[in-house]
Amino acid sequence: MFSRAEREYLGVLAQSQREGTDPTRALARLFPNPVYRRKILWGIRRKAQRTAADLSLYAIAARAESRVLPRPPSAGTSTVPLTEDPLLTFLRYLASGLGSRPTPKTGSGSPTGSRDERKVQR
């Protein structure tokens, strides 16, 4: 959701909160341009505002239906195993049935062929 710079900015703020320090120096060192710092803050606020309603809706839905929660990672992996996702399994099933799609016919769609083919036949 956030860009690399925005994640770094938020990381500095989170670290200073944990350590109980003022983040001003660290932010000035990482982002010396004050205009750029304001731009980063603007981007963070804009993205947070856009996603707040979605995350709120997701939290309410997750309380009602636990299947919307991400699955815990398998042993030895750090990411959610996408291959076990029921939606992806279903999409793979559909794709395997659609392996050889017929080519679309050109022309008017009449059973005798296209207009150009009829001209040649005359």
Side-chain angles (χ1 to χ4, degrees), residues 25-73:
R25 276 193 185 157
L27 289 173
R29 185 174 33 83
L30 282 174
F31 307 102
N33 186 339
V35 174
Y36 186 57
R37 282 196 305 265
R38 284 194 302 272
K39 180 181 176 186
I40 289 174
L41 277 174
W42 175 82
I44 291 169
R45 282 193 305 267
R46 183 176 52 89
K47 290 175 183 177
Q49 182 180 17
R50 274 194 326 227
T51 59
D54 291 340
L55 292 175
S56 174
L57 180 63
Y58 174 75
I60 293 167
R63 282 189 224 125
E65 177 58 66
S66 63
R67 288 183 290 181
V68 299
L69 294 171
R71 292 181 179 188

Side-chain angles (χ1 to χ4, degrees), residues 5-23:
E6 291 166 342
R7 282 193 305 272
E8 286 179 18
Y9 193 96
L10 291 170
V12 168
L13 293 176
Q15 183 177 359
S16 67
Q17 175 70 27
R18 282 191 303 268
E19 296 172 352
T21 59
D22 182 26

Side-chain angles (χ1 to χ4, degrees), residues 105-118 121:
K105 297 186 181 200
T106 59
S108 64
S110 66
T112 59
S114 71
R115 186 183 301 171
D116 294 333
E117 290 172 334
R118 284 183 287 209
Q121 291 173 355

